[in-house]
Amino acid sequence: FLAKMMWSLIAYGIAPTGLAVWILVMSGLRPCQRIAKGVLNLHIAVGPLQITLPMLLALFSLIVWAIESPKVFGTVASSGFATTADHDYKNAQKWRSERNWWILNFNLLIWITNWRVNGLLTTKDVEKKA
């Protein structure tokens, strides 16, 4: 149950939010970029460790990606199943793992891109002021 909730959160919450923030950043419109920067510059502190939201989400995605990758690239024997239902069940699990892996790839890419583009825009703004 908890794993299903996590995948729903990633697929329907974190990834679309990352895409929306990316669209705002890449729009070139100052008001949209300010909104995106507000989200991208949110800091999360745990003791002395302080990271931004994109760093946290990219790290989370990387950890889950590392856990999910062996499921995708592990081999499933095509023979030796007791019934066709067993074979179908194993194929459904493999398909679900592959789908989750691709969602994680997208999520990881979009949040690392948001992190990097925000850094570039911040540097550009600092240079403009100087």
Side-chain angles (χ1 to χ4, degrees), residues 6-100:
M6 180 187 69
W7 286 113
S8 294
L9 178 66
I10 292 170
Y12 301 115
I14 297 172
T17 301
L19 183 60
V21 169
W22 180 80
I23 289 169
L24 290 173
V25 167
M26 299 306 283
S27 71
L29 303 171
R30 284 284 174 212
C32 293
Q33 286 180 334
R34 270 189 242 120
I35 293 169
K37 281 185 178 185
V39 172
L40 295 174
N41 288 327
L42 287 174
H43 289 284
I44 295 131
V46 179
L49 178 66
Q50 187 172 2
I51 60 174
T52 62
L53 183 64
M55 287 180 201
L56 176 69
L57 294 175
L59 182 62
F60 170 74
S61 296
L62 184 62
I63 291 168
V64 177
W65 182 86
I67 293 168
E68 196 67 26
S69 289
K71 292 179 187 176
V72 172
F73 296 110
T75 57
V76 175
S78 59
S79 61
F81 293 108
T83 64
T84 304
D86 289 339
H87 179 71
D88 291 345
Y89 178 74
K90 291 292 183 187
N91 281 338
Q93 282 183 322
K94 179 113 174 118
W95 182 86
R96 188 175 303 116
S97 293
E98 288 174 2
R99 178 204 62 190
N100 292 344

Side-chain angles (χ1 to χ4, degrees), residues 96-107:
R96 188 175 303 116
S97 293
E98 288 174 2
R99 178 204 62 190
N100 292 344
W101 188 79
W102 283 108
I103 291 170
L104 280 169
N105 281 328
F106 172 74
N107 197 41

